[in-house]
Amino acid sequence: MALTKVTSSVIADDAVGTATIADDAVTAAKIADGAIDAAAKLGTGVVTSAAILDGTVALGDLAAALSVRVLLDTQTASASASLDFTTGIDSTYDRYELEIVDLVPATDAVSLYLRVSTDGGSTYKSGASDYDWAHYRIGAGVATATSGPEYGSGNAFIRPSGTSTQGLGNAATDATYNGLIRFTSPDDAARAQQFQYDVVYGGADGNTRRLMGSGMYRAATAINGLRLLMSSGNITSGYAKLYGVRL
């Protein structure tokens, strides 16, 4: 007696349910690559913890579907004039985070600047009144390590650092620059773009600094690029990572 091949086209919708499938009948090895879209299915509860544990769902898909940081770009300094980021700055994520690690300036007593691009990194905004910023600086050490508020209204940059002797030091005894810059809705063309920062570094006077503040690109337009640079000279070493976050 000849056997008739049963295809998916002759099986009624919902004919095969979990109740009719034996335990362990479907394994990761039997599921084709890409058959399960974790980002689409996790929100509806179709992908379970069991699928995650047995490897059916790739960790990359899981990270994209859950509220975790997804790495978008990494830029490493090596006597670099700037560190530029143009990957993934759009409407995909609820929040973006730029994490800065161990930056060392080539020149002593300089400031770190942040600028934005609206054309994918072809140019970066540097008009004399493009940005505002404000922060509170905390210093520890000798009497010159003053604490207090600072602000800049109508600047060519956001300045998440001090300046002069309150700026970044490059001596071996000066701590490196580390910090986190956050922003949301870079695709919003109806409002100005706001940034929040929290950073620590060793000042040129040999004292530790912590700054907590915010900055704003004043134009109501979408942005799609970021640039880190020093007020003078290159960035000797260190790196920065851009992450997207789903909330």
Side-chain angles (χ1 to χ4, degrees), residues 159-243:
R159 198 192 81 194
S161 71
T163 186
S164 187
T165 59
Q166 306 285 344
L168 283 67
N170 70 347
T173 52
D174 296 329
T176 59
Y177 184 102
N178 294 269
L180 184 66
I181 300 174
R182 292 177 171 176
F183 60 102
T184 60
S185 304
D187 62 313
D188 188 352
R191 304 185 69 88
Q193 181 64 56
Q194 184 89 349
F195 298 86
Q196 176 187 358
Y197 54 87
D198 190 344
V199 305
V200 295
Y201 63 92
D205 58 3
N207 299 297
T208 184
R209 297 286 190 286
R210 182 180 181 186
L211 277 67
M212 295 163 285
S214 63
M216 181 175 69
Y217 175 56
R218 301 174 68 176
T221 185
I223 67 167
N224 50 27
L226 300 176
R227 168 171 283 180
L228 295 173
L229 70 159
M230 297 297 175
S231 57
S232 177
N234 290 336
I235 305 172
T236 297
S237 59
Y239 61 93
K241 292 178 176 286
L242 180 65
Y243 294 89

Side-chain angles (χ1 to χ4, degrees), residues 100-121:
I100 304 168
V101 181
D102 289 340
L103 286 195
V104 176
T107 305
D108 196 35
V110 294
S111 301
L112 182 69
Y113 291 167
L114 172 68
R115 287 175 173 152
V116 305
S117 175
T118 61
D119 56 13

